[in-house]
Amino acid sequence: MVRDYSDEAVDPAVVDRALANAVRAPSAGFSQGWAFLVLEQPEDVRRFWAATADDLDEPDSWLAGMMGAPVVILPCSSKATYLRRYAEDDKGWTDQDESRWPMPFWHMDAAMAALLILQTATDAGLGSCFIGVPPDKDAAVREAFGIPDDHDPVGVITIGHRAGGEAPSGSPRTRTRRPLDELVHRGHWGQAARG
Ligand SMILES: Cc1cc2nc3c(=O)[nH]c(=O)nc-3n(C[C@H](O)[C@H](O)[C@H](O)COP(=O)(O)O)c2cc1C
């Protein structure tokens, strides 16, 4: 994740490719209940930070770095689209009862689309970062950009050129990456070894 950007512009073709890749993400029932709010005009990006930041005029170093990203994308999920899709004849959940859902697939699918956007940025040699919308700023973001009630931003992706060369920002410098043998269970929970 990159949290400090230079002021170099992002090629719109990269943004278009990221969005084209995003809609190739898997989606439950091919519901495709996602949408993407794309901010690439400086005044729009500024309005996003104005809606979410507490002190735009005296930003802390995190905010100052993040605000430099020329592109901001909010992947959104639409639960209603999934409930309607799974009430269709081939699925048949006509009661649209949410307890039928093993997981909130609407958020999962939007998150998978988000990862494709992040990967496309990396492929293009750019930096990106995924963050959330603070709950107490959700209404302000909706208001600022006209996001309808039946869509929820699952997060925010900043995209731009990394400031300060290639040095990784790197949480692994301060927190260890958990080892695979602690996370992978083979055949039975608690067994890490193969065979
Ligand atoms: C759901 C989610 C929420 C995140 N929220 C934030 C955030 O609010 N601020 C931030 O700086 N990074 C956020 N991140 C980025 C993570 O901190 C990052 O993926 C992780 O620390 C590893 O990257 P790093 O080495 O650059 O820190 C978020 C990532 C995810 C997947």
Side-chain angles (χ1 to χ4, degrees):
M1 296 282 159
V2 169
R3 303 180 182 86
D4 192 12
Y5 299 89
S6 77
D7 56 10
E8 190 178 341
V10 168
D11 181 353
V14 174
V15 177
D16 291 346
R17 190 154 68 245
L19 296 167
N21 288 341
V23 298
R24 302 304 296 266
S27 74
F30 205 37
S31 301
Q32 305 167 80
W34 46 42
F36 306 88
L37 177 70
V38 180
L39 309 176
E40 44 194 348
Q41 300 302 324
E43 60 274 21
D44 291 335
V45 171
R46 178 95 184 161
R47 277 194 304 127
F48 170 76
W49 294 112
T52 55
D54 286 326
D55 192 351
L56 209 56
D57 296 325
E58 289 187 40
D60 60 20
S61 63
W62 180 89
L63 181 58
M66 292 290 276
M67 278 172 54
V71 177
V72 174
I73 299 177
L74 279 71
C76 301
S77 68
S78 167
K79 179 169 75 175
T81 301
Y82 285 77
L83 298 184
R84 280 196 303 270
R85 167 69 188 100
Y86 274 68
E88 289 177 18
D89 288 346
D90 61 329
K91 300 292 184 187
W93 295 357
T94 51
D95 56 14
Q96 300 198 20
D97 183 350
E98 276 185 56
S99 68
R100 292 178 175 279
W101 293 83
M103 284 286 154
F105 285 165
W106 38 95
H107 295 327
M108 290 181 58
D109 294 353
M112 289 198 245
L115 180 59
L116 293 176
I117 293 173
L118 296 170
Q119 290 186 317
T120 306
T122 301
D123 267 356
L126 300 176
S128 59
C129 188
F130 186 98
I131 60 172
V133 177
D136 63 333
K137 309 293 186 191
D138 180 80
V141 171
R142 287 178 183 280
E143 168 75 20
F145 299 104
I147 300 172
D149 288 345
D150 61 356
H151 281 72
D152 297 309
V154 297
V156 181
I157 299 170
T158 53
I159 301 176
H161 294 263
R162 183 198 293 272
E166 292 302 308
S169 59
S171 289
R173 288 179 309 175
T174 51
R175 293 172 63 85
T176 49
R177 190 177 296 281
R178 295 178 66 190
L180 274 182
D181 61 6
E182 191 182 307
L183 304 171
V184 177
H185 307 266
R186 297 184 193 276
H188 191 281
W189 201 267
Q191 284 177 196
R194 182 174 273 132

